mmCIF file of all heavy atoms in Angstrom:
data_model
loop_
_atom_site.group_PDB
_atom_site.id
_atom_site.type_symbol
_atom_site.label_atom_id
_atom_site.label_comp_id
_atom_site.label_asym_id
_atom_site.label_seq_id
_atom_site.Cartn_x
_atom_site.Cartn_y
_atom_site.Cartn_z
ATOM 1 N N ARG A 1 91.533 -49.293 -104.999
ATOM 2 C CA ARG A 1 91.325 -50.684 -105.075
ATOM 3 C C ARG A 1 92.256 -51.287 -106.047
ATOM 4 O O ARG A 1 92.740 -52.340 -105.855
ATOM 5 C CB ARG A 1 89.786 -50.979 -105.589
ATOM 6 C CG ARG A 1 89.469 -52.436 -105.832
ATOM 7 C CD ARG A 1 89.158 -53.144 -104.470
ATOM 8 N NE ARG A 1 87.791 -52.689 -103.968
ATOM 9 C CZ ARG A 1 87.180 -53.100 -102.868
ATOM 10 N NH1 ARG A 1 87.959 -54.070 -102.063
ATOM 11 N NH2 ARG A 1 86.072 -52.789 -102.380
ATOM 12 N N ASP A 2 92.477 -50.553 -107.143
ATOM 13 C CA ASP A 2 93.582 -51.045 -108.138
ATOM 14 C C ASP A 2 94.836 -51.204 -107.595
ATOM 15 O O ASP A 2 95.673 -52.036 -107.829
ATOM 16 C CB ASP A 2 93.492 -50.202 -109.349
ATOM 17 C CG ASP A 2 92.198 -50.307 -110.237
ATOM 18 O OD1 ASP A 2 91.446 -51.240 -110.011
ATOM 19 O OD2 ASP A 2 91.968 -49.231 -110.977
ATOM 20 N N ALA A 3 95.258 -50.168 -106.788
ATOM 21 C CA ALA A 3 96.614 -50.221 -106.116
ATOM 22 C C ALA A 3 96.691 -51.282 -105.176
ATOM 23 O O ALA A 3 97.798 -51.874 -105.063
ATOM 24 C CB ALA A 3 96.834 -48.850 -105.390
ATOM 25 N N LEU A 4 95.659 -51.653 -104.531
ATOM 26 C CA LEU A 4 95.647 -52.858 -103.550
ATOM 27 C C LEU A 4 95.886 -54.097 -104.363
ATOM 28 O O LEU A 4 96.650 -55.099 -103.924
ATOM 29 C CB LEU A 4 94.441 -52.857 -102.789
ATOM 30 C CG LEU A 4 94.425 -51.874 -101.595
ATOM 31 C CD1 LEU A 4 92.924 -51.865 -101.056
ATOM 32 C CD2 LEU A 4 95.398 -52.358 -100.549
ATOM 33 N N ALA A 5 95.360 -54.172 -105.577
ATOM 34 C CA ALA A 5 95.584 -55.404 -106.384
ATOM 35 C C ALA A 5 95.201 -56.713 -105.729
ATOM 36 O O ALA A 5 96.081 -57.683 -105.851
ATOM 37 C CB ALA A 5 96.851 -55.386 -107.067
ATOM 38 N N GLY A 6 94.271 -56.780 -104.939
ATOM 39 C CA GLY A 6 93.823 -58.013 -104.241
ATOM 40 C C GLY A 6 94.543 -58.081 -102.868
ATOM 41 O O GLY A 6 94.184 -59.088 -102.115
ATOM 42 N N ASP A 7 95.360 -57.206 -102.546
ATOM 43 C CA ASP A 7 96.018 -57.375 -101.151
ATOM 44 C C ASP A 7 94.892 -57.082 -100.133
ATOM 45 O O ASP A 7 93.964 -56.425 -100.275
ATOM 46 C CB ASP A 7 97.005 -56.306 -101.010
ATOM 47 C CG ASP A 7 98.380 -56.673 -101.782
ATOM 48 O OD1 ASP A 7 98.303 -57.874 -102.223
ATOM 49 O OD2 ASP A 7 99.275 -55.958 -101.845
ATOM 50 N N PRO A 8 94.950 -57.541 -98.759
ATOM 51 C CA PRO A 8 93.998 -57.424 -97.845
ATOM 52 C C PRO A 8 93.737 -55.995 -97.337
ATOM 53 O O PRO A 8 94.719 -55.124 -97.323
ATOM 54 C CB PRO A 8 94.529 -58.341 -96.628
ATOM 55 C CG PRO A 8 96.041 -58.339 -96.858
ATOM 56 C CD PRO A 8 96.303 -58.293 -98.340
ATOM 57 N N VAL A 9 92.556 -55.721 -96.929
ATOM 58 C CA VAL A 9 92.087 -54.444 -96.330
ATOM 59 C C VAL A 9 91.047 -54.746 -95.319
ATOM 60 O O VAL A 9 90.199 -55.626 -95.351
ATOM 61 C CB VAL A 9 91.655 -53.637 -97.383
ATOM 62 C CG1 VAL A 9 90.386 -54.138 -98.175
ATOM 63 C CG2 VAL A 9 91.171 -52.183 -96.888
ATOM 64 N N ILE A 10 91.099 -53.975 -94.239
ATOM 65 C CA ILE A 10 90.054 -54.005 -93.230
ATOM 66 C C ILE A 10 89.480 -52.542 -93.137
ATOM 67 O O ILE A 10 90.243 -51.506 -93.082
ATOM 68 C CB ILE A 10 90.518 -54.509 -91.880
ATOM 69 C CG1 ILE A 10 89.391 -54.574 -90.832
ATOM 70 C CG2 ILE A 10 91.613 -53.641 -91.256
ATOM 71 C CD1 ILE A 10 89.783 -55.258 -89.659
ATOM 72 N N VAL A 11 88.159 -52.420 -93.136
ATOM 73 C CA VAL A 11 87.506 -51.157 -93.018
ATOM 74 C C VAL A 11 86.855 -51.069 -91.596
ATOM 75 O O VAL A 11 86.046 -51.913 -91.127
ATOM 76 C CB VAL A 11 86.353 -51.031 -94.025
ATOM 77 C CG1 VAL A 11 85.730 -49.607 -93.790
ATOM 78 C CG2 VAL A 11 86.882 -51.162 -95.469
ATOM 79 N N LEU A 12 87.405 -50.114 -90.737
ATOM 80 C CA LEU A 12 87.005 -50.147 -89.274
ATOM 81 C C LEU A 12 86.214 -48.806 -89.052
ATOM 82 O O LEU A 12 86.490 -47.723 -89.675
ATOM 83 C CB LEU A 12 88.225 -50.060 -88.453
ATOM 84 C CG LEU A 12 89.015 -51.409 -88.412
ATOM 85 C CD1 LEU A 12 90.340 -51.192 -87.584
ATOM 86 C CD2 LEU A 12 88.351 -52.574 -87.814
ATOM 87 N N ALA A 13 85.276 -48.864 -88.157
ATOM 88 C CA ALA A 13 84.666 -47.619 -87.641
ATOM 89 C C ALA A 13 85.726 -46.765 -86.902
ATOM 90 O O ALA A 13 86.683 -47.284 -86.339
ATOM 91 C CB ALA A 13 83.586 -47.974 -86.719
ATOM 92 N N GLY A 14 85.444 -45.534 -86.910
ATOM 93 C CA GLY A 14 86.497 -44.586 -86.087
ATOM 94 C C GLY A 14 86.558 -43.408 -87.048
ATOM 95 O O GLY A 14 85.788 -42.999 -87.738
ATOM 96 N N GLY A 15 87.871 -42.680 -86.847
ATOM 97 C CA GLY A 15 88.055 -41.456 -87.621
ATOM 98 C C GLY A 15 87.603 -40.254 -86.750
ATOM 99 O O GLY A 15 87.058 -40.226 -85.602
ATOM 100 N N HIS A 16 87.868 -38.995 -87.356
ATOM 101 C CA HIS A 16 87.517 -37.838 -86.809
ATOM 102 C C HIS A 16 86.739 -36.862 -87.744
ATOM 103 O O HIS A 16 86.670 -37.197 -88.961
ATOM 104 C CB HIS A 16 88.780 -37.076 -86.370
ATOM 105 C CG HIS A 16 89.562 -37.753 -85.224
ATOM 106 N ND1 HIS A 16 90.333 -38.934 -85.592
ATOM 107 C CD2 HIS A 16 89.675 -37.522 -83.916
ATOM 108 C CE1 HIS A 16 90.870 -39.404 -84.458
ATOM 109 N NE2 HIS A 16 90.431 -38.609 -83.404
ATOM 110 N N ASN A 17 86.278 -35.768 -87.290
ATOM 111 C CA ASN A 17 85.586 -34.875 -88.163
ATOM 112 C C ASN A 17 86.633 -33.768 -88.630
ATOM 113 O O ASN A 17 87.787 -33.725 -88.206
ATOM 114 C CB ASN A 17 84.345 -34.118 -87.489
ATOM 115 C CG ASN A 17 84.764 -33.552 -86.181
ATOM 116 O OD1 ASN A 17 85.763 -32.913 -86.081
ATOM 117 N ND2 ASN A 17 83.739 -33.579 -85.162
ATOM 118 N N HIS A 18 86.216 -32.723 -89.401
ATOM 119 C CA HIS A 18 87.079 -31.808 -89.924
ATOM 120 C C HIS A 18 87.708 -30.832 -88.901
ATOM 121 O O HIS A 18 88.728 -30.318 -89.144
ATOM 122 C CB HIS A 18 86.296 -30.889 -90.976
ATOM 123 C CG HIS A 18 85.390 -29.951 -90.256
ATOM 124 N ND1 HIS A 18 84.082 -30.332 -89.761
ATOM 125 C CD2 HIS A 18 85.382 -28.670 -90.069
ATOM 126 C CE1 HIS A 18 83.495 -29.393 -89.388
ATOM 127 N NE2 HIS A 18 84.189 -28.320 -89.365
ATOM 128 N N ALA A 19 87.057 -30.801 -87.657
ATOM 129 C CA ALA A 19 87.693 -30.001 -86.597
ATOM 130 C C ALA A 19 88.559 -30.746 -85.690
ATOM 131 O O ALA A 19 89.157 -30.183 -84.784
ATOM 132 C CB ALA A 19 86.522 -29.483 -85.680
ATOM 133 N N GLY A 20 88.719 -32.066 -86.035
ATOM 134 C CA GLY A 20 89.656 -32.983 -85.190
ATOM 135 C C GLY A 20 88.951 -33.694 -83.991
ATOM 136 O O GLY A 20 89.629 -34.346 -83.283
ATOM 137 N N GLY A 21 87.662 -33.586 -84.006
ATOM 138 C CA GLY A 21 86.941 -34.319 -82.916
ATOM 139 C C GLY A 21 86.606 -35.786 -83.398
ATOM 140 O O GLY A 21 86.334 -36.038 -84.554
ATOM 141 N N GLU A 22 86.643 -36.664 -82.326
ATOM 142 C CA GLU A 22 86.438 -38.161 -82.685
ATOM 143 C C GLU A 22 84.950 -38.310 -83.099
ATOM 144 O O GLU A 22 84.131 -37.964 -82.404
ATOM 145 C CB GLU A 22 86.768 -38.991 -81.527
ATOM 146 C CG GLU A 22 86.635 -40.452 -81.760
ATOM 147 C CD GLU A 22 87.044 -41.462 -80.522
ATOM 148 O OE1 GLU A 22 86.192 -41.407 -79.593
ATOM 149 O OE2 GLU A 22 88.234 -41.795 -80.432
ATOM 150 N N THR A 23 84.708 -39.023 -84.195
ATOM 151 C CA THR A 23 83.355 -39.383 -84.697
ATOM 152 C C THR A 23 82.898 -40.734 -83.969
ATOM 153 O O THR A 23 81.758 -40.899 -83.560
ATOM 154 C CB THR A 23 83.367 -39.417 -86.106
ATOM 155 O OG1 THR A 23 84.307 -40.400 -86.623
ATOM 156 C CG2 THR A 23 83.547 -38.120 -86.753
ATOM 157 N N GLU A 24 83.801 -41.699 -83.877
ATOM 158 C CA GLU A 24 83.474 -42.956 -83.357
ATOM 159 C C GLU A 24 84.727 -43.582 -82.708
ATOM 160 O O GLU A 24 85.865 -43.317 -83.301
ATOM 161 C CB GLU A 24 82.866 -43.892 -84.406
ATOM 162 C CG GLU A 24 81.581 -43.745 -85.011
ATOM 163 C CD GLU A 24 81.107 -44.757 -85.747
ATOM 164 O OE1 GLU A 24 80.700 -45.862 -85.323
ATOM 165 O OE2 GLU A 24 81.240 -44.710 -87.067
ATOM 166 N N PRO A 25 84.702 -44.409 -81.699
ATOM 167 C CA PRO A 25 85.801 -45.021 -81.100
ATOM 168 C C PRO A 25 86.376 -46.085 -82.087
ATOM 169 O O PRO A 25 85.717 -46.625 -83.024
ATOM 170 C CB PRO A 25 85.375 -45.720 -79.891
ATOM 171 C CG PRO A 25 84.012 -45.122 -79.654
ATOM 172 C CD PRO A 25 83.404 -44.670 -80.883
ATOM 173 N N LEU A 26 87.796 -46.335 -82.037
ATOM 174 C CA LEU A 26 88.431 -47.263 -82.899
ATOM 175 C C LEU A 26 88.464 -48.547 -82.189
ATOM 176 O O LEU A 26 88.903 -48.720 -81.079
ATOM 177 C CB LEU A 26 89.800 -46.779 -83.166
ATOM 178 C CG LEU A 26 90.763 -47.745 -83.985
ATOM 179 C CD1 LEU A 26 90.143 -47.954 -85.375
ATOM 180 C CD2 LEU A 26 92.117 -47.053 -84.048
ATOM 181 N N ASP A 27 87.983 -49.606 -82.964
ATOM 182 C CA ASP A 27 88.002 -50.968 -82.396
ATOM 183 C C ASP A 27 89.315 -51.691 -82.533
ATOM 184 O O ASP A 27 89.624 -52.327 -83.486
ATOM 185 C CB ASP A 27 86.920 -51.764 -83.202
ATOM 186 C CG ASP A 27 86.625 -53.111 -82.439
ATOM 187 O OD1 ASP A 27 87.419 -53.528 -81.685
ATOM 188 O OD2 ASP A 27 85.532 -53.756 -82.879
ATOM 189 N N LEU A 28 90.218 -51.321 -81.581
ATOM 190 C CA LEU A 28 91.635 -51.849 -81.557
ATOM 191 C C LEU A 28 91.609 -53.475 -81.459
ATOM 192 O O LEU A 28 92.481 -54.020 -81.985
ATOM 193 C CB LEU A 28 92.418 -51.255 -80.528
ATOM 194 C CG LEU A 28 92.600 -49.734 -80.782
ATOM 195 C CD1 LEU A 28 93.418 -49.201 -79.612
ATOM 196 C CD2 LEU A 28 93.368 -49.471 -81.984
ATOM 197 N N ALA A 29 90.579 -54.002 -80.809
ATOM 198 C CA ALA A 29 90.625 -55.527 -80.576
ATOM 199 C C ALA A 29 90.336 -56.209 -81.802
ATOM 200 O O ALA A 29 91.096 -57.204 -82.234
ATOM 201 C CB ALA A 29 89.526 -55.817 -79.483
ATOM 202 N N ALA A 30 89.440 -55.758 -82.627
ATOM 203 C CA ALA A 30 89.104 -56.253 -83.978
ATOM 204 C C ALA A 30 90.360 -56.070 -84.853
ATOM 205 O O ALA A 30 90.742 -57.000 -85.690
ATOM 206 C CB ALA A 30 87.962 -55.648 -84.648
ATOM 207 N N LEU A 31 90.991 -54.982 -84.800
ATOM 208 C CA LEU A 31 92.339 -54.712 -85.591
ATOM 209 C C LEU A 31 93.296 -55.770 -85.242
ATOM 210 O O LEU A 31 93.948 -56.365 -86.162
ATOM 211 C CB LEU A 31 92.754 -53.340 -85.336
ATOM 212 C CG LEU A 31 94.131 -52.966 -86.097
ATOM 213 C CD1 LEU A 31 94.068 -53.126 -87.570
ATOM 214 C CD2 LEU A 31 94.611 -51.623 -85.640
ATOM 215 N N GLU A 32 93.479 -56.006 -83.924
ATOM 216 C CA GLU A 32 94.546 -56.967 -83.536
ATOM 217 C C GLU A 32 94.346 -58.297 -84.048
ATOM 218 O O GLU A 32 95.248 -59.022 -84.512
ATOM 219 C CB GLU A 32 94.697 -56.981 -81.985
ATOM 220 C CG GLU A 32 95.816 -57.827 -81.436
ATOM 221 C CD GLU A 32 95.914 -57.641 -79.983
ATOM 222 O OE1 GLU A 32 95.717 -56.571 -79.490
ATOM 223 O OE2 GLU A 32 96.504 -58.610 -79.384
ATOM 224 N N VAL A 33 92.958 -58.867 -83.865
ATOM 225 C CA VAL A 33 92.666 -60.224 -84.366
ATOM 226 C C VAL A 33 92.977 -60.331 -85.944
ATOM 227 O O VAL A 33 93.400 -61.345 -86.366
ATOM 228 C CB VAL A 33 91.199 -60.541 -84.142
ATOM 229 C CG1 VAL A 33 90.729 -61.819 -84.780
ATOM 230 C CG2 VAL A 33 90.987 -60.560 -82.596
ATOM 231 N N TRP A 34 92.599 -59.314 -86.729
ATOM 232 C CA TRP A 34 92.671 -59.408 -88.149
ATOM 233 C C TRP A 34 94.249 -59.308 -88.455
ATOM 234 O O TRP A 34 94.695 -60.028 -89.293
ATOM 235 C CB TRP A 34 91.988 -58.066 -88.728
ATOM 236 C CG TRP A 34 92.184 -57.944 -90.212
ATOM 237 C CD1 TRP A 34 91.556 -58.699 -91.198
ATOM 238 C CD2 TRP A 34 93.166 -57.044 -90.871
ATOM 239 N NE1 TRP A 34 92.055 -58.168 -92.480
ATOM 240 C CE2 TRP A 34 93.054 -57.161 -92.180
ATOM 241 C CE3 TRP A 34 94.031 -56.078 -90.223
ATOM 242 C CZ2 TRP A 34 93.755 -56.474 -92.981
ATOM 243 C CZ3 TRP A 34 94.792 -55.356 -91.204
ATOM 244 C CH2 TRP A 34 94.613 -55.527 -92.566
ATOM 245 N N ALA A 35 94.963 -58.381 -87.800
ATOM 246 C CA ALA A 35 96.342 -58.207 -88.199
ATOM 247 C C ALA A 35 97.287 -59.424 -88.112
ATOM 248 O O ALA A 35 98.088 -59.622 -88.959
ATOM 249 C CB ALA A 35 96.935 -57.106 -87.293
ATOM 250 N N VAL A 36 97.098 -60.156 -87.024
ATOM 251 C CA VAL A 36 97.944 -61.498 -86.850
ATOM 252 C C VAL A 36 97.769 -62.513 -87.813
ATOM 253 O O VAL A 36 98.620 -63.264 -88.086
ATOM 254 C CB VAL A 36 97.638 -62.073 -85.397
ATOM 255 C CG1 VAL A 36 98.063 -61.030 -84.274
ATOM 256 C CG2 VAL A 36 96.271 -62.427 -85.272
ATOM 257 N N ALA A 37 96.676 -62.328 -88.686
ATOM 258 C CA ALA A 37 96.374 -63.342 -89.677
ATOM 259 C C ALA A 37 97.004 -63.013 -91.052
ATOM 260 O O ALA A 37 96.889 -63.714 -91.964
ATOM 261 C CB ALA A 37 94.879 -63.571 -89.768
ATOM 262 N N GLN A 38 97.520 -61.788 -91.243
ATOM 263 C CA GLN A 38 97.922 -61.216 -92.471
ATOM 264 C C GLN A 38 99.407 -61.597 -92.820
ATOM 265 O O GLN A 38 100.223 -61.360 -91.878
ATOM 266 C CB GLN A 38 97.787 -59.677 -92.524
ATOM 267 C CG GLN A 38 96.373 -59.231 -92.227
ATOM 268 C CD GLN A 38 95.317 -60.015 -93.048
ATOM 269 O OE1 GLN A 38 95.253 -60.186 -94.170
ATOM 270 N NE2 GLN A 38 94.186 -60.382 -92.275
ATOM 271 N N GLN A 39 99.637 -62.129 -94.030
ATOM 272 C CA GLN A 39 100.982 -62.474 -94.412
ATOM 273 C C GLN A 39 101.382 -61.312 -95.274
ATOM 274 O O GLN A 39 101.267 -61.496 -96.621
ATOM 275 C CB GLN A 39 101.081 -63.803 -94.944
ATOM 276 C CG GLN A 39 100.826 -65.049 -94.054
ATOM 277 C CD GLN A 39 101.018 -66.397 -94.728
ATOM 278 O OE1 GLN A 39 101.101 -66.492 -95.954
ATOM 279 N NE2 GLN A 39 101.167 -67.332 -93.983
ATOM 280 N N VAL A 40 101.974 -60.287 -94.789
ATOM 281 C CA VAL A 40 102.269 -59.151 -95.685
ATOM 282 C C VAL A 40 103.655 -58.587 -95.149
ATOM 283 O O VAL A 40 104.238 -58.949 -94.091
ATOM 284 C CB VAL A 40 101.190 -57.951 -95.503
ATOM 285 C CG1 VAL A 40 99.845 -58.393 -95.997
ATOM 286 C CG2 VAL A 40 101.091 -57.491 -93.979
ATOM 287 N N SER A 41 104.168 -57.711 -95.995
ATOM 288 C CA SER A 41 105.553 -57.218 -95.855
ATOM 289 C C SER A 41 105.502 -55.842 -95.043
ATOM 290 O O SER A 41 106.320 -55.459 -94.349
ATOM 291 C CB SER A 41 106.389 -56.907 -97.084
ATOM 292 O OG SER A 41 105.575 -55.950 -97.989
ATOM 293 N N ALA A 42 104.292 -55.134 -95.099
ATOM 294 C CA ALA A 42 104.045 -53.884 -94.433
ATOM 295 C C ALA A 42 102.580 -53.545 -94.345
ATOM 296 O O ALA A 42 101.769 -54.082 -95.014
ATOM 297 C CB ALA A 42 104.920 -52.795 -95.077
ATOM 298 N N PHE A 43 102.271 -52.608 -93.474
ATOM 299 C CA PHE A 43 100.944 -52.104 -93.314
ATOM 300 C C PHE A 43 100.800 -50.615 -93.636
ATOM 301 O O PHE A 43 101.770 -49.794 -93.556
ATOM 302 C CB PHE A 43 100.370 -52.324 -91.887
ATOM 303 C CG PHE A 43 100.179 -53.747 -91.509
ATOM 304 C CD1 PHE A 43 101.210 -54.495 -91.093
ATOM 305 C CD2 PHE A 43 98.987 -54.326 -91.660
ATOM 306 C CE1 PHE A 43 101.059 -55.793 -90.568
ATOM 307 C CE2 PHE A 43 98.697 -55.619 -91.237
ATOM 308 C CZ PHE A 43 99.708 -56.391 -90.735
ATOM 309 N N ALA A 44 99.703 -50.259 -94.239
ATOM 310 C CA ALA A 44 99.347 -48.890 -94.448
ATOM 311 C C ALA A 44 98.184 -48.480 -93.602
ATOM 312 O O ALA A 44 97.213 -49.230 -93.493
ATOM 313 C CB ALA A 44 99.146 -48.550 -95.947
ATOM 314 N N VAL A 45 98.167 -47.268 -93.036
ATOM 315 C CA VAL A 45 96.994 -46.825 -92.125
ATOM 316 C C VAL A 45 96.507 -45.643 -92.668
ATOM 317 O O VAL A 45 97.361 -44.594 -92.699
ATOM 318 C CB VAL A 45 97.440 -46.830 -90.709
ATOM 319 C CG1 VAL A 45 96.254 -46.418 -89.792
ATOM 320 C CG2 VAL A 45 97.899 -48.168 -90.157
#
């Protein structure tokens, strides 16, 4: 949180387990809507 220093962040469902299996699908539509509104120089994933 300190490293972000107020910069935007979105928390999305998704990810995998320790064996590499998908835990939940990734909501790419929500990501796209959020991303186009961000005035940033770069993204971290």
Side-chain angles (χ1 to χ4, degrees):
R1 181 80 74 180
D2 293 336
L4 284 166
D7 285 355
V9 57
I10 184 171
V11 180
L12 294 173
H16 296 79
N17 58 33
H18 71 282
E22 184 179 79
T23 56
E24 289 185 79
L26 175 61
D27 190 347
L28 294 175
L31 174 61
E32 182 169 340
V33 171
W34 173 82
V36 295
Q38 306 309 314
Q39 294 185 343
V40 296
S41 62
F43 290 87
V45 179

